[in-house]
Amino acid sequence: MTQQSESGPADRYDVIVVGGGPAGLSAALMLGRARRSVLVIDSGQPRNAPAAHIHGFLSRDGTPPDHLLEVGRQEVVGYGGEVTPGQVRSAANEGDQFAIELDTGHTVRARRLLVTTGIVDELPDIPGLASRWGRDVLHCPYCHGWEVRDEPIGVLATSPMSVHQALLFRQWTENLTLLLHTGPAPAHEEAEQLAARGIACVSGEVSRVEVTDEQLSGVRLRTGELVPLRALAVAPRAVPRAAVLETLGLASTPHPSGLGEHIATDSTGLTPEPGVWVAGNVTDPMANVLTAAASGATAAGAINADLIAEETRRAVQARRHGL
């Protein structure tokens, strides 16, 4: 991993970014260009690690996720930022700064805190499913749909969004099956929509994912029936990696989509805790890599503006008192 200094992080920064994914690195890049001292603490657990490539990112389509992050780290360091591996144990508000305790026992401090730790995708407990995640068990058609276009695709009903997900994936294939699994049958209007789009509905609980020659070949129902498929779409439950935020009293709340939890913020990523911002999937579980990176840049602009406002207030007070 790229680092600014072999001696480890210093003690105090303008901004500490917890999380070294696209959102965190994008924010650190913006802050470095704004001549802010910034430290990125990266646990090395990106959400999209199972995926082979990033898609839908203008000028970077098809880039391996780890390559994008390495380039990002180099760019951050090029503007004076620091990137260090590690886990954060806790964060504490000390009034005019935040104290961040690392798993090494070292404590670093910053005037502002940005958390971009992302989420954990809580997958359905079906044998064989987790090992195919990010390969041919998918969730986002914009990220992976092109690669399985015109193939037989199944959508596993796991949430209130499953019918919507099926109608969405229909854009990429005419051979689509909605697997009702343990969910309820579609309402009358939903059933009409599915029928009109030629989407088959299969009742019965899915017992396991079948793999042939290292490729998903279908799902097996409890009845023993095999439903042949090339890809399976699921809607995992989003669980924020919010331990550091919880130490500041910030709890996750249900996301409006019904897809899990998130940290609620304003449009810039500012949380109810003054001086603390979040960006990326930890606040928007539906964000792709490009959207997550953009949210990091937005948060960075807001943080820099907040610091400027504070510095200006102090300068005015000093001038008034002849200091």
Side-chain angles (χ1 to χ4, degrees), residues 8-94:
D11 292 325
R12 195 171 189 275
Y13 300 84
D14 289 324
V15 184
I16 287 176
V17 179
V18 183
L25 292 174
S26 178
L29 176 64
M30 293 284 287
L31 290 164
R33 286 180 54 82
R35 310 186 71 179
R36 295 294 181 185
S37 58
V38 58
L39 170 68
V40 178
I41 303 169
D42 183 13
S43 68
Q45 298 175 332
R47 179 192 183 191
N48 63 352
H53 304 97
I54 293 167
H55 293 291
F57 196 132
L58 186 65
S59 82
R60 296 294 180 268
D61 188 76
T63 300
D66 56 351
H67 177 71
L68 180 74
L69 297 182
E70 179 55 31
V71 171
R73 289 189 285 264
Q74 294 173 4
E75 291 177 349
V76 168
V77 170
Y79 287 102
E82 298 180 35
V83 182
T84 188
Q87 297 274 357
V88 173
R89 288 180 178 171
S90 64
N93 189 334
E94 296 182 339

Side-chain angles (χ1 to χ4, degrees), residues 25-26 46 73 82 85 98 127 131 187 205 242 246 252 254 258 270-271 276 279 281 283 285 296 299 304 320:
L25 292 174
S26 178
R73 289 189 285 264
E82 298 180 35
F98 294 92
S131 64
E205 185 176 353
E246 290 169 0
S252 60
L270 178 63
T271 72
V276 180
N281 286 145
T283 185
N304 188 55
R320 287 174 179 173

Side-chain angles (χ1 to χ4, degrees), residues 150-161:
D150 299 324
E151 298 282 0
I153 301 173
V155 175
L156 186 69
T158 58
S159 79
M161 294 286 288

Side-chain angles (χ1 to χ4, degrees), residues 4-316:
Q4 169 93 3
S5 169
E6 295 182 358
S7 62
D11 292 325
R12 195 171 189 275
Y13 300 84
D14 289 324
V15 184
I16 287 176
V17 179
V18 183
L25 292 174
S26 178
L29 176 64
M30 293 284 287
L31 290 164
R33 286 180 54 82
R35 310 186 71 179
R36 295 294 181 185
S37 58
V38 58
L39 170 68
V40 178
I41 303 169
D42 183 13
S43 68
Q45 298 175 332
R47 179 192 183 191
N48 63 352
H53 304 97
I54 293 167
H55 293 291
F57 196 132
L58 186 65
S59 82
R60 296 294 180 268
D61 188 76
T63 300
D66 56 351
H67 177 71
L68 180 74
L69 297 182
E70 179 55 31
V71 171
R73 289 189 285 264
Q74 294 173 4
E75 291 177 349
V76 168
V77 170
Y79 287 102
E82 298 180 35
V83 182
T84 188
Q87 297 274 357
V88 173
R89 288 180 178 171
S90 64
N93 189 334
E94 296 182 339
D96 63 343
Q97 62 184 1
F98 294 92
I100 311 299
E101 182 185 4
L102 306 180
D103 54 357
T104 60
H106 186 62
T107 297
V108 290
R109 290 175 169 80
R111 299 163 63 193
R112 300 294 185 271
L113 177 63
L114 173 61
V115 177
T116 63
T117 43
I119 60 175
V120 173
D121 290 299
E122 194 174 81
L123 296 168
D125 186 17
I126 296 175
L129 188 147
S131 64
R132 307 303 302 178
W133 177 239
R135 301 162 71 183
D136 36 31
V137 173
L138 318 168
H139 74 294
C140 172
Y142 298 106
C143 302
H144 306 287
W146 176 264
E147 284 64 44
V148 294
R149 65 193 183 280
D150 299 324
E151 298 282 0
I153 301 173
V155 175
L156 186 69
T158 58
S159 79
M161 294 286 288
S162 296
V163 170
H164 169 74
Q165 190 178 28
L167 293 170
L168 195 59
F169 267 93
R170 175 62 178 79
Q171 176 66 23
W172 281 261
T173 184
E174 295 182 357
N175 191 347
L176 190 69
T177 302
L178 176 61
L179 301 156
L180 297 180
H181 191 42
T182 58
H188 175 74
E189 183 178 355
E190 293 175 329
E192 186 177 34
Q193 292 172 343
L194 294 168
R197 294 291 283 157
I199 300 171
C201 288
V202 173
S203 300
E205 185 176 353
V206 174
S207 63
R208 67 178 182 270
V209 170
E210 297 282 353
V211 176
T212 303
D213 296 329
E214 285 301 309
Q215 179 175 302
L216 188 146
S217 55
V219 296
R220 185 77 61 177
L221 304 182
R222 292 287 181 198
T223 60
E225 178 187 355
L226 176 68
V227 181
L229 299 171
R230 168 66 181 83
L232 179 64
V234 302
R237 182 175 181 273
V239 180
R241 293 189 177 113
V244 62
L245 294 167
E246 290 169 0
T247 64
L248 291 166
L250 289 167
S252 60
T253 58
H255 190 266
S257 68
L259 294 178
E261 304 280 315
H262 76 139
I263 302 297
T265 71
D266 72 1
S267 61
T268 71
L270 178 63
T271 72
E273 176 71 15
V276 180
W277 275 258
V278 300
N281 286 145
V282 72
T283 185
D284 181 5
M286 301 177 71
N288 62 16
V289 175
L290 182 59
T291 308
S295 72
T298 297
I303 290 170
N304 188 55
D306 193 48
L307 288 169
I308 288 172
E310 178 185 280
E311 291 158 356
T312 301
R313 287 193 299 271
R314 290 179 177 177
V316 168

